[in-house]
């Protein structure tokens, strides 16, 4: 019997979820049924795909509706892809390719301007037209070397502002508004459904994810507005019996603006007993290291690609963002997948843009994957020209594209999905 690749039914969902766990090399079936019930309630089953071999689920793929912030603050509808697995018994037979082709075609049909994902391995998705659009950096700081007087009073927060230790329930109530304020100023951010706040405050978390209750601290502005939130867990270390050497591991720090952001970092770095802070996955140009008197005390633990995007509709995506300056560029976008290709004239400006099909000769010729890399402003067109990936047909076009596309602050996606 051949492989059956299709949308699954609700009754197949537990078996599908088991296949996802296996695909991510987890054997535990602990709490699988309850986990399936919780997840099913928030899942659009019409976008959950599986491959079945003699009734056994051997490949999984799911997509869901997402909003992505582009430079300038507009939020565009995209196709978020997740839970991609193929059993080791069925790998390299084209199952991912088949599921991806169907999903992208459906996303295009729905009018979504791009697809997004976080790649487990760098080499998987470029062939499907995805490009690395954001990256992250994680730092670890030895506070005793940072130059901060972390035993002194908290400095730097505006008079009248305050930090409150709050409970999970407060986070579910106040977090979405703070996140919404971050999401309009941070290109690369994606929306968070209400279920995100449940899962990240311990509600309906699968036993395999081994939830431990974190600390939550809220920043209130002098007028009492909740404007920032930090979630952290503490690892105790009393191995030196005379003094504590605890580590605070930040899992999220979101803020409506830089004042709240600075205040929350200041708070985390001033907690008694804490001598090490791990920042979690931050924007590569995060304020954090430069808040320390000695930024060298912040060691980079990891730096890697994060959100990948796949342009599905070139004119609509490029017209949704703003640009650093006024410029006109003609782009010849090559897309073997057949979704985003064509020659387009982009009339860009700091207020917005128009992007329409054009018949002129192109200033730049590029594959859809490279457009996917540069569209949020993080990658340099000149660098991709130097790598032989983008063709510069008019001298100076790459530099012009960089001055136009690149953003003063780098894109960042605070979430994994
Ligand atoms: C990644 C994974 C889903 C690929 O599935 P698959 O069905 O083997 O992929 P396909 O057979 O459709 O491969 C399509 C192409 O991608 C290539 N490819 C697949 N996985 C790759 C990988 N990990 N690295 C590099 N290339 C890869 C294949 O060689 C093939 O190339 P070709 O078109 O030149 O022949 C599967 O290996 C897997 O489940 N890995 C473990 C879980 C995981 O990492 N999932 C991704 C989460 S983001």
């Amino acid at each position: 019997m051949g492989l059956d690749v299709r949308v699954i039914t609700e009754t197949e969902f537990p078996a599908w979820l088991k296949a996802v766990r296996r695909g991510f090399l987890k054997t535990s079936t602990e709490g699988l049924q309850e986990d399936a019930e919780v997840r099913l309630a928030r899942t659009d089953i019409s976008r959950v795909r599986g491959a079945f071999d003699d009734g056994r689920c051997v490949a999984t793929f799911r997509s869901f509706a997402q909003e992505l912030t582009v430079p300038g603050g507009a939020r565009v509808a995209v196709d978020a892809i997740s839970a991609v697995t193929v059993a080791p018994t069925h790998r390299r037979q084209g199952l991912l390719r088949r599921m991806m082709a169907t999903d992208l075609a459906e996303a295009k049909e729905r009018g979504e301007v791009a697809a997004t994902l976080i790649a487990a391995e760098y080499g998987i998705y470029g062939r499907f037209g995805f490009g690395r659009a954001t990256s992250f950096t994680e730092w670890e700081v030895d506070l005793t070397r940072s130059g901060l007087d972390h035993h002194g009073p908290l400095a730097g927060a505006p008079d009248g502002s305050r930090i409150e230790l709050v409970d999970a329930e407060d986070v579910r109530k106040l977090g979405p508004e703070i996140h919404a304020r971050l999401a309009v100023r941070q290109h690369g951010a994606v929306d968070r459904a209400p279920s995100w706040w449940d899962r990240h405050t311990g509600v309906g978390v699968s036993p395999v994810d081994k939830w431990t209750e974190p600390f939550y601290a809220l920043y209130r502005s002098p007028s009492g507005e909740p404007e920032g939130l930090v979630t952290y867990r503490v690892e105790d270390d009393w191995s030196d019996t005379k003094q504590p050497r605890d580590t605070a591991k930040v899992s999220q720090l979101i803020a409506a603006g830089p004042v709240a952001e600075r205040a929350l970092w200041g708070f985390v770095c001033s907690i008694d007993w804490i001598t090490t802070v791990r920042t979690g996955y931050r924007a590569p140009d995060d304020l954090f290291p430069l808040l320390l008197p000695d930024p060298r005390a912040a060691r980079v633990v990891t730096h890697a690609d994060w959100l990948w995007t796949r342009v599905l509709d070139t004119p609509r995506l490029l017209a949704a963002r703003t640009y650093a300056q006024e410029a006109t560029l003609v782009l010849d976008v090559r897309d073997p997948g057949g979704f985003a290709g064509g020659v387009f004239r982009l009339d860009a400006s700091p207020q917005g843009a128009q992007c329409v099909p054009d018949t002129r000769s192109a200033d730049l010729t590029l594959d859809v994957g490279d457009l996917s890399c540069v569209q949020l402003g993080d990658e340099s067109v000149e660098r991709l020209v130097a790598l032989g990936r983008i063709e510069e047909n008019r001298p100076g076009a790459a530099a012009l594209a960089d001055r136009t596309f690149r953003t003063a602050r780098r894109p960042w996606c605070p979430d994994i999905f």
Side-chain angles (χ1 to χ4, degrees), residues 326-345:
E326 281 192 18
T328 294
L329 282 157
V330 179
L331 307 176
D332 182 357
V333 180
R334 306 282 166 92
D335 183 0
F339 301 119
V343 179
F344 303 100
R345 191 187 74 245

Side-chain angles (χ1 to χ4, degrees), residues 223-244:
S223 62
E225 277 290 296
E227 290 190 342
L229 184 64
V230 60
T231 305
Y232 59 96
R233 291 180 174 81
V234 173
E235 257 177 32
D236 242 356
D237 181 358
W238 282 86
S239 52
D240 173 352
T241 49
K242 293 208 175 59
Q243 50 187 348

Side-chain angles (χ1 to χ4, degrees), residues 117-125 131-137 281 284 302-308 378 410 413:
L117 54 78
I118 313 266
E121 292 189 274
Y122 198 94
I124 305 174
Y125 297 104
R132 178 195 62 83
T134 81
S135 57
F136 74 88
T137 305
Y281 292 1
T302 331
H303 175 78
D305 57 288
W306 193 239
L307 186 78
W308 289 59
D378 206 36
R410 296 180 69 175
C413 177

Side-chain angles (χ1 to χ4, degrees), residues 50-269:
F52 295 86
D53 187 356
D54 206 11
R56 183 185 290 272
C57 187
V58 294
T60 64
F61 189 109
R62 158 175 117 83
S63 72
F64 58 96
Q66 188 182 64
E67 279 184 359
L68 169 71
T69 307
V70 294
R75 296 170 82 179
V76 296
V78 295
D79 177 52
I81 293 170
S82 184
V84 175
T85 72
V86 172
T89 48
H90 290 69
R91 69 197 276 278
R92 310 302 182 262
Q93 296 171 26
L95 281 178
L96 169 59
R97 181 176 290 283
R98 280 171 71 180
M99 296 187 292
M100 180 67 83
T102 317
D103 185 77
L104 293 180
E106 288 180 2
K108 174 78 180 177
E109 188 72 26
R110 283 191 299 267
E112 287 153 3
V113 291
T116 57
L117 54 78
I118 313 266
E121 292 189 274
Y122 198 94
I124 305 174
Y125 297 104
R127 75 192 70 242
F128 304 118
F130 284 82
R132 178 195 62 83
T134 81
S135 57
F136 74 88
T137 305
E138 181 174 29
W139 289 272
E140 183 171 284
V141 62
D142 175 356
L143 292 174
T144 61
R145 301 283 304 270
S146 67
L148 283 174
D149 175 14
H150 70 288
H151 289 305
L154 179 59
D159 284 349
S161 66
R162 61 181 193 275
I163 306 264
E164 295 167 358
L165 284 177
V166 294
D167 296 326
E169 210 181 316
D170 304 308
V171 172
R172 285 192 289 276
K173 202 163 65 195
L174 302 172
E177 178 57 31
I178 298 169
H179 180 263
R181 290 180 67 184
L182 166 81
V184 293
R185 74 181 182 93
Q186 179 62 66
H187 54 299
V190 295
D191 68 302
R192 288 178 177 176
S195 60
W196 188 98
W197 294 96
D198 287 344
R199 275 180 293 131
H200 289 81
T201 52
V203 178
V205 181
S206 155
V208 284
D209 292 333
K210 300 198 172 34
W211 172 260
T212 57
E213 188 69 16
F215 293 98
Y216 307 101
L218 180 79
Y219 169 87
R220 282 191 191 273
S221 69
S223 62
E225 277 290 296
E227 290 190 342
L229 184 64
V230 60
T231 305
Y232 59 96
R233 291 180 174 81
V234 173
E235 257 177 32
D236 242 356
D237 181 358
W238 282 86
S239 52
D240 173 352
T241 49
K242 293 208 175 59
Q243 50 187 348
R245 300 190 61 82
D246 288 11
T247 297
K249 291 190 165 174
V250 172
S251 51
Q252 74 153 343
L253 188 151
I254 57 166
V259 175
E261 192 177 332
R262 293 198 305 264
L264 285 170
W265 282 128
F267 169 73
V268 174
C269 292

